[in-house]
Amino acid sequence: MNKTISLILALMLAITGLQAAERHRYNFNSAWKLSVGDDKNAMQSNHNDSRWKTVTLPRAFNEDEAFRVAIDQHTDTVMWYRKHFHGKGLKGRKVLIEFEGIRQAGWFYINGEYLGMHENGVMAVGFDISKYIKEGDNVIAVRIDNNWKYREQATNTTYQWNNSNFNANYGGIPKNVYLHVMDDVYQTLPLYSNLKTTGVYTYATDFDIKGKKATVHAESEVRNESTEARVLTYRATLKDMDGKVVKTFSGTPRKLNAGETVTLKAEARVADLHFWSWGYGYLYTVETELVDENGTAFDKVSTRTGFRKTQFGEGKIWLNDRVLMVHGYAQRTSNEWPAVGLSVPAWLSDYSNGLIVEGCGNVVRWMHVTPWKQDIESCDRVGLIQAMPAGDAEKDRQGRQWEQRTELMRDAIIYNRNNPSILFYESGNESISREHMIEMKAIRDLYDPFGGRAIGSREMLDINEAEYGGEMLYINKSKKHPMWATEYCRDEGMRKYWDEYSYPFHKEGDGPLYRGKPANDYNHNSDMLAVEWVRRWYDYWQVRPGTGTRVSSGGVKIVFSDTNTHFRSEANYRLSGATDPMRIPKDGFFAHQVMWDGWVDPENSRTHIIGHWSYDDGTKKPVYVVSNGESVELLLNGKSLGKGKRSYNFLFTFDNVAFEEGTLTAISRDANGKEVSRHELKTAGKPARLVMRTIQNPEGFHADGADLALIEFEVVDKDGNRCPLDNRSVRFSISGPAEWRGGIAQGENNYILNTVLPVECGINRALIRSTTKAGKIKVTAQATDLPKASLTLQTIPVKVTDGKSDYLPSETLKGWLTRGETPSTPSYKDTKRGINIVSAQAGSNQENVRNSWDDNELSEWSSDGGMNSAWVTYTLERKARVSEVSLKLTSWRNKNYPLEILAGGKVVWEGNTDKSLGYVHLKISDPVEADKFTIRLKGTADTADTSNQIGELAGGNTGELDNKKHSSRTLPIVEVDFIEEIK
């Protein structure tokens, strides 16, 4: 009897142990084999791949081409990837393989068995490989075709976003691969493509920001693939960023029949929460698990997420009850680096995305396609808000191509809806129809109804169903859904070119033609590029929240880092970045930092002198200072050169400053004359030595065959000051278990993979990649007339067992808390208010006059071409001392309009309007109280004067109304605001 009981107990323990077997997520990136070219037998288990190249994923097969060739020259062909792994411990378990993404289409096999295909070239895909696993050697094989013209097999339709202008073609498997091992009762993965599952969904509701409380929700799609019904309780454990348990809560027990899939939920009110915010990447871990009738917990899934409150309306964006003005970058989704493309380690994604936050950017708008999961998670950690697209080129689509876009949006939302940094879903890189906007919104509402994310599109100015909109080349205001420029300022300039007064003496605008026309905007030197960025931001700053009823929510500049996409200058890649491809900042980076250091208005005092202070004797040049103070004084070796001429609010210019060796100091003061910030430049001495330093993973340089380290090298004088005019070549050698990937500079093939690399403006960087062998690495640099320099790195071993590893590079990286929690103070002060218009009388076309104030910037009122009828009289809701009239006039970029404004019959403003990126702001210096204002055209509109031409894009389209043809004797008004100062 005792033996029987013992056997029963042992059996029960064995069954319980089986039920409670640990769920595991493995790094599956190690030891893949790569062969370029097609091979009809490569899917077979016994295929000889001994001569194939061994690589650690992620790895594009054509990574060597990143920045070496222009985007449309990226090699497209067929290639195969294979991986051998041992099936030990996997037989009888549920085994799913997750590919974060491939480019473009792939056919997947295991042990010669066909699993399926994946064709969109963007999103993740998963396969159930459980029934094919063998105890011994197993082989995964993937055939990939990255043809630029690839067509969907079932429909013969091309993918709109597989585009050689916008979407760099790093082919193969350039993203991570994971293996998931669990039991046959499990929480599914968020992999709708192929698996048709939605995974875990976490979110918060009922926020009390001041009280630091919210209701936290967790829900999981759970599937019972066993042969018996199960009664399960869903349990969630919330842990803070230090791993401390904050709250454990459970749902109601529920029966799952065999073969059934249900969604289980739990929720709890949680106190003392830290809310995710801009520059405050506070992340929690939500552990969800299933508990059986015996109280045994199993199938634990960890989801890293954050909680934040959002609101969108009145033309504004709120994050955690604080208004935020968008300022940041529209970055290519490839986010690439020289000679490696997009396939970088997670810490380097943090470094790059974190630089945007360091430069006081708060939003990155990824362009054209959904970014890979690593960049999305990186933005969570560094506190960078994201706008996430699905897939698009630059136009709405119909039929199958539109269906492809909706399917991609569905998959992207499911995969990324737990990432708190995503605040916007972008339905199109161009305007889409109202019907399509409603369709996209329905997808969001189905799969992410509680995520607090606005869904919209570019140019959604007149479609109320869109929850945000904006343009790429001009400015919009709104009192409804927020409007922010989805990309602005396409101007380009090379980091190498300081100015016209120092080596390499780049005259402003010099460079090749673009499409047969002068391309000054794409050939700036560094000084003038930074000045242009100040000028451009000023247009948005003028219409920020607090300046009226209708406001702009800001904009993102294209791009953050120079990118391997279509180009217009002397380089074969785009030079619009605030940094170069190695993320070395240009001066414009610091200009943005000064202007953007606040949620709306600048909140921290900053000053930056553009350029350097190492010139030839006798040089005279303008000195430009960017400051958010009220005045700037310039001192040279302690002697005052007076105050700068202020323009564009943030720019202070000092003309014809004579160079004198020493220290140039800019002192910024507030309105009371108190110093608030300063910046200085010093003249560098003769080059004395090379300085090398390492930028690497804060958790150490890992020997996994995929980790990278940045080697920065700089020419300095005897006091350690960078020599800003040095451009000498540096020869590198490397020993130890590492691979030289190099850097980039202007020259043949852009020096890609070259071991000789020049400094530019005294500094440059190179990348090295670890191998799978741990050890000591020594990098030595030698340059003419300078002593040798070297540094040593040590890589950390990474354990791989049976083809799998527990090392997940992104899992332990810490959140960045640099800007602190969301301030409780207001982010701006209301300085102006808009006065509502109740009616208007026009000199002609009376039936359309309401278009001139209807908050629809795709509509206009225009006069009939007669001078006597080119006027409108507006009646306001009350008498007001209007101090400013804000106008958007058709052809705003290339026409000056001679106008007069009358208040109660008295002329209060007259003159010619400026060309602009949208609005002109006509200041009334002596306001009178009135409720009727007349705007009248006093002469013919002028298109001949090009002295202040606004050239965002040579010959580019900036909207229907900007390009609409009107007689020069016509007054066309898109929108008008009458604004009163708030005392």
Side-chain angles (χ1 to χ4, degrees), residues 692 694 696 700-705 707-711 733-741 767-780 790-797:
M692 297 175 69
T694 306
Q696 67 177 36
F701 192 13
H702 287 77
D704 61 355
D707 204 359
L708 293 162
L710 264 176
I711 308 299
S733 59
I734 185 170
S735 62
E739 177 190 4
W740 179 260
R741 299 307 297 174
L767 285 166
I768 62 172
R769 183 157 58 200
S770 68
T771 68
T772 54
K773 179 181 178 182
K776 186 176 291 185
I777 302 159
K778 185 175 182 180
V779 182
T780 303
S790 64
L791 54 78
T792 301
L793 303 88
Q794 178 71 46
T795 51
I796 300 170

Side-chain angles (χ1 to χ4, degrees), residues 376-675:
I376 289 177
E377 292 175 338
S378 170
C379 290
D380 290 344
R381 290 190 294 271
V382 304
L384 180 59
I385 297 165
Q386 300 179 77
M388 186 201 83
D392 188 8
E394 283 194 329
K395 192 174 290 185
D396 203 356
R397 283 291 187 265
Q398 303 298 322
R400 181 58 194 151
Q401 282 201 325
W402 173 251
E403 291 173 352
Q404 290 170 340
R405 285 171 58 170
T406 61
E407 291 164 5
L408 187 56
M409 178 63 83
R410 174 201 63 203
D411 291 6
I413 287 176
I414 291 169
Y415 198 58
N416 299 310
R417 60 187 176 175
N418 295 320
N419 296 96
S421 53
I422 300 173
L423 262 62
F424 303 96
Y425 291 139
E426 182 177 283
S427 303
N429 190 59
E430 253 281 9
S431 57
I432 60 175
S433 68
R434 178 176 178 272
E435 292 73 22
H436 282 173
M437 187 67 251
I438 291 171
E439 192 175 349
M440 283 290 195
K441 191 173 179 180
I443 294 170
R444 189 277 315 269
D445 291 344
L446 180 60
Y447 294 107
D448 187 20
F450 306 112
R453 298 177 174 99
I455 189 163
S457 176
R458 218 180 84 197
E459 291 187 351
M460 304 304 281
L461 311 181
D462 61 335
I463 297 177
N464 290 329
E465 285 78 8
E467 295 168 343
Y468 78 95
E471 242 311 322
M472 72 171 186
L473 296 175
Y474 60 92
I475 301 171
N476 309 116
K477 295 192 295 184
S478 173
K479 59 183 177 182
K480 299 180 295 186
H481 53 252
M483 295 286 187
W484 50 275
T486 52
E487 58 185 83
Y488 76 90
C489 197
R490 293 187 172 195
D491 296 43
E492 299 187 30
M494 200 176 294
R495 184 178 69 82
K496 176 179 178 178
Y497 296 143
W498 281 112
D499 52 32
E500 299 183 11
Y501 308 94
S502 58
Y503 178 85
F505 303 102
H506 183 80
K507 186 176 179 180
E508 169 62 7
D510 268 5
L513 300 179
Y514 179 65
R515 296 179 179 172
K517 297 180 180 179
N520 296 351
D521 296 339
Y522 308 133
N523 292 286
H524 289 292
N525 57 47
S526 193
D527 271 17
M528 300 315 297
L529 185 63
V531 167
E532 183 66 15
W533 291 357
V534 176
R535 182 187 184 201
R536 282 295 138 258
W537 180 247
Y538 177 67
D539 284 328
Y540 296 90
W541 181 83
Q542 286 190 98
V543 290
R544 67 198 182 279
T547 61
T549 306
R550 299 177 64 248
V551 295
S552 164
S553 287
V556 288
K557 200 206 83 64
I558 183 172
V559 290
F560 174 63
S561 56
D562 290 347
T563 175
N564 193 185
T565 54
H566 64 292
F567 57 93
R568 302 178 175 93
S569 68
E570 65 182 89
N572 65 348
Y573 57 91
R574 174 170 280 194
L575 300 169
S576 300
T579 74
D580 74 1
M582 302 302 290
R583 278 50 172 188
I584 300 174
K586 303 175 188 177
D587 258 320
F589 172 93
F590 302 105
H592 284 151
Q593 191 177 51
V594 169
M595 299 185 293
W596 291 351
D597 198 357
W599 284 55
V600 175
D601 292 321
E603 298 166 4
N604 300 294
S605 297
R606 290 183 183 268
T607 297
H608 179 76
I609 306 172
I610 294 174
H612 64 92
W613 196 242
S614 296
Y615 291 92
D616 293 334
D617 290 337
T619 300
K620 287 186 177 182
K621 73 176 295 281
V623 172
Y624 302 102
V625 180
V626 187
S627 176
N628 52 32
E630 291 298 312
S631 66
V632 174
E633 181 184 13
L634 195 66
L635 283 71
L636 180 53
N637 293 325
K639 181 181 177 181
S640 177
L641 302 182
K643 293 185 177 180
K645 179 175 64 179
R646 190 178 190 179
S647 56
Y648 310 116
N649 191 71
F650 301 103
L651 185 67
F652 298 83
T653 303
F654 300 82
D655 292 317
N656 296 315
V657 177
F659 172 72
E660 178 184 301
E661 185 177 329
T663 302
L664 188 68
T665 306
I667 300 175
S668 176
R669 295 185 172 87
D670 63 16
N672 298 317
K674 179 184 176 182
E675 180 180 333

Side-chain angles (χ1 to χ4, degrees), residues 640-852:
S640 177
L641 302 182
K643 293 185 177 180
K645 179 175 64 179
R646 190 178 190 179
S647 56
Y648 310 116
N649 191 71
F650 301 103
L651 185 67
F652 298 83
T653 303
F654 300 82
D655 292 317
N656 296 315
V657 177
F659 172 72
E660 178 184 301
E661 185 177 329
T663 302
L664 188 68
T665 306
I667 300 175
S668 176
R669 295 185 172 87
D670 63 16
N672 298 317
K674 179 184 176 182
E675 180 180 333
V676 290
S677 58
R678 65 168 59 199
H679 182 226
E680 67 177 31
L681 298 175
K682 291 183 178 180
T683 306
K686 293 181 179 180
R689 66 184 191 277
L690 276 170
V691 173
M692 297 175 69
R693 58 185 68 90
T694 306
I695 303 169
Q696 67 177 36
N697 187 340
E699 297 182 342
F701 192 13
H702 287 77
D704 61 355
D707 204 359
L708 293 162
L710 264 176
I711 308 299
E712 184 172 276
F713 54 102
E714 182 181 17
V715 176
V716 300
D717 65 11
K718 62 181 179 59
D719 297 318
N721 300 307
R722 184 184 302 168
C723 298
L725 307 183
D726 207 289
N727 195 42
R728 76 186 67 211
S729 292
V730 180
R731 183 175 298 276
F732 291 89
S733 59
I734 185 170
S735 62
E739 177 190 4
W740 179 260
R741 299 307 297 174
I744 190 170
Q746 295 306 302
E748 186 178 0
N749 298 323
N750 297 322
Y751 285 88
I752 299 301
L753 296 174
N754 207 321
T755 54
V756 176
L757 194 62
V759 291
E760 292 186 336
C761 302
I763 187 171
N764 213 333
R765 290 172 178 168
L767 285 166
I768 62 172
R769 183 157 58 200
S770 68
T771 68
T772 54
K773 179 181 178 182
K776 186 176 291 185
I777 302 159
K778 185 175 182 180
V779 182
T780 303
Q782 188 168 5
T784 304
D785 299 327
L786 296 177
K788 279 185 181 180
S790 64
L791 54 78
T792 301
L793 303 88
Q794 178 71 46
T795 51
I796 300 170
V798 173
K799 185 179 179 181
V800 178
T801 304
D802 298 329
K804 308 181 299 295
S805 174
D806 289 322
Y807 173 55
L808 300 167
S810 63
E811 199 165 79
T812 53
L813 290 173
K814 303 297 183 186
W816 296 20
L817 309 178
T818 50
R819 294 193 70 92
E821 299 195 59
T822 304
S824 59
T825 56
S827 58
Y828 67 94
K829 181 180 179 181
D830 283 308
T831 59
K832 303 173 183 179
R833 67 170 66 92
I835 310 300
N836 289 334
I837 298 167
V838 294
S839 63
Q841 184 66 41
S844 54
N845 295 329
Q846 175 68 29
E847 67 276 12
N848 296 323
V849 71
R850 188 174 182 82
N851 290 349
S852 67

